[in-house]
Amino acid sequence: MLSGASATESRRWIFGRAVVDERTLELLVDGEEVEIERKPFEVLRFLLQHAGEVVTKDELLEGVWPGRFLSESVLAKAISRLREVLHDPDQELIKTVHGYGYRLVAQVRVEVQHAPEVAHFDFKAGDHPPARPLWSLVRRLGSGGHGEAWLGRHDKTHEQRVFKFAIDEPSLGALKREITLFRFLNDSLGEHARIVTLMDWNLEQPPCFIESEYIAGGSMIEWAERSGGLAKIPLATRLDLAAQIAEALAAVHAVGVLHKDLKPSNVLIASLPPLAGGDTEGGVSRAAPNIRLADFGSGGVLDAKQLEALGITRLGFTRTIAALGATTGGTPLYLAPELLAGQPPTVKADIYALGVMLYQLVVGEFRKAMASGWEHEVADEVLRECIADAARGDAACRLADAGALALRLRTLDEERERRRHEREAKEKAEALERALAQAKASQAVAEFLSKDMFAVVGSKPLRDLTVRELLDAASEKLADRFDEMPLAAAQVHAALGHAFWNMEALAEADKHLGRALDLYEQQGAMSGDVLSVAAVLVSVQFMLGKLAASLPRHDAIRALAETVIGAANSDVAKFRVNVARARMEMGDWLPAVAEFRELVQTLTADTGADPLLLCTVRRMLGYALLRLGEFESAEQAMRQALDLILRIEGAPALAIAHAHFDRGRVLIEQEEFPESDRELSEALRLFLEWSPSDQSGVVLAVTATIGFLRLRQGRTDEAIALIENPVSTLARLAGPSVDQQSEIRSWLALAYQASGRLDVALSEMSSALASSERAHGKAHPLTQHLCIARADILRERGEATEAQAVLSQVDRAALERLAPDHPYLAELHRVEGLIAGAEGRHEAARGSLERALLIFKSRYGAQHGFTRRARLEVGRQP
């Protein structure tokens, strides 16, 4: 069965006071071996292979951490560690090339060493292992980096054993380590070592092999498949397996050994003999599976001196490798994050692999990786905590003792019962407390309504009183009445805040809603009422220009709500919509589209979801897509929202009005003018039914949008008449209406520009730009858009220098991040082209105008007015 032999080469690198031996993976400095972690060692080898060359940081990261996306700090730490062990503080060996990479500047001498390669053998059934004439190979059990395993059977007694052969030099080293660690564990733990027994080994005559007991149950994976799949096995049995593995691993760790390749295929299944009468212990039959840890070929010892103390030869270990505890990488699915980052293995890395296996055993699938959101698959909170503590990504927070996990798994029922008693006692106490507080609050609310809210009635004739006066009077008395009842006070503040919001009294709404949220948070309350307050407060603070500073608070509220109430809860979803909408208004259009699409998908799949909420999310998605210039997709989302709400029996008129309004707005961009006119007129009719005053903010917004429609229709005088009043009225409203005024002002400026009134157009566009900068900031895409529009007016006035100065403020890269062909970029290219043409730079003008034409055609279509205008402007260039 011998098929051939060859030789391999390894190198010794000699530089400075150091020597690197590739064959033994040793680093010696001044003749003394030093301990060094694996990744810094690999960085050093990479630099040695490119001695004298400048190696970029990217080349080093790819060479040592292939396929990984890591920060440069990881590489910097590795270089720092190398300089420490090489005594190179002054960079006499490894020099930093600032802004580029590193160069090994020391003189390097290389010695090539020849080592015989392990002979390659072509095993087949019926062969006899060396010096085992009565043993025959039956079938291959597996092969891999640690060798080739075969089932062997004694020709006379028919006893079965497993023979694992070394097929190359690395697998020979793995066999030697396995022998060493078996002897160490067997001598240290005796009968308590739950490991596969090594019966004998052969390291003298090739092929070298180890001979171990044969466990008929096979690996956990094979055993589960024979049982009909892991999920078919009772959970109690699976948890007993996990506890056994944890106990076995704890024993191994207790004597300073790391397994380093713990996974289901390396856990073998035997069985305990059944008790008479089929008795059980702890709910688990005595005939249940009994585990054995196998394959310590990747293993390591934390202190190699322990081997010497027992008189065990350190086969397969150099001193450096023993200190590192590793030469191989393990199986990726079970590798702890710190190992992937190049840190040395520890007990906690084994426990991470154990945590992943526990998760797989609980969910009933060995092929499943622990992806984000795995917690939702484990209903039992006690089990969920066990898995999380063992498989935490941060090693510092991870469980450090496998024995502690075993104990928790053995006492699950007791822990569940303890928590149940605690919950019941807490619920009873809270119920009593709530009942007493509710009774007190009910009395206080009754007195507040009867004595405080209507106390002002006697001060002036009833017919002269307004709702606003009643609310203002009640607000003054609120603090005194509910001083010792924070939750009741929060509810009343919330009611007043909602009332002021509906009256468009933004400052008062902000005051009361903010106070309500403060009180809820102080009491640790989280409910639909809390989210309702927070959701309206998001809109109020946006209108007041205060949202940017408060967004972290709202993100924290969302995270808490998802934990306490659940991510699928409708109140949580509504709050997500409000926060996403606010972010969209602040210019985060791409993330907003992603969030709204995710919400649409979630709500569409949920048959019990609120259809009004789905309608709102579709509207918001359409609005965000409109901002991104994806007009067809935006109109589709708006149409779906309108179709949906018209099918909802008893849908609020306001919601229907908003759906008509939003669709009408996007139809303007598509030049579907008659259909847009119908949608906007219907929206205006419904809004006026809700608020007969034509001076309310929403009515003014619709009126101005109809004016914008008239502008796009070429009916300039009508546009100016329709937009002028909303602009002046919105400027007088309490608080800056930042979501409306700047854009509506820009429409009025464009109407003045179209009518030839360039002076007043420039003034109005400058006001719009200033308003947008105050409300949104200079980096906001709308602000950038208004910069371009102002430059266009300056260009038309013949002020090319001033126009160029305005365009220099535009952040092209930010607009390109929205989309390489965003309509705002088309407008930018157009204005630049027209300025260049006016200055006689015709080649530059044609280039810019052609770029604008391509974008207009792509976004709007060949027959759109913007495209036709762009085509004419290109044609006018010489």
Side-chain angles (χ1 to χ4, degrees), residues 819-833:
D821 62 340
H822 193 278
Y824 292 175
L825 285 168
E827 294 179 19
L828 175 62
H829 292 315
R830 174 181 176 268
V831 175
E832 288 178 332

Side-chain angles (χ1 to χ4, degrees), residues 534-566:
V536 178
L537 188 59
V538 168
S539 299
V540 171
Q541 290 177 330
F542 170 71
M543 295 286 286
L544 292 173
K546 298 166 60 175
L547 183 59
S550 62
L551 267 177
R553 180 186 190 185
H554 292 297
D555 287 336
I557 291 171
R558 170 186 168 176
L560 178 62
E562 289 181 345
T563 301
V564 175
I565 305 176

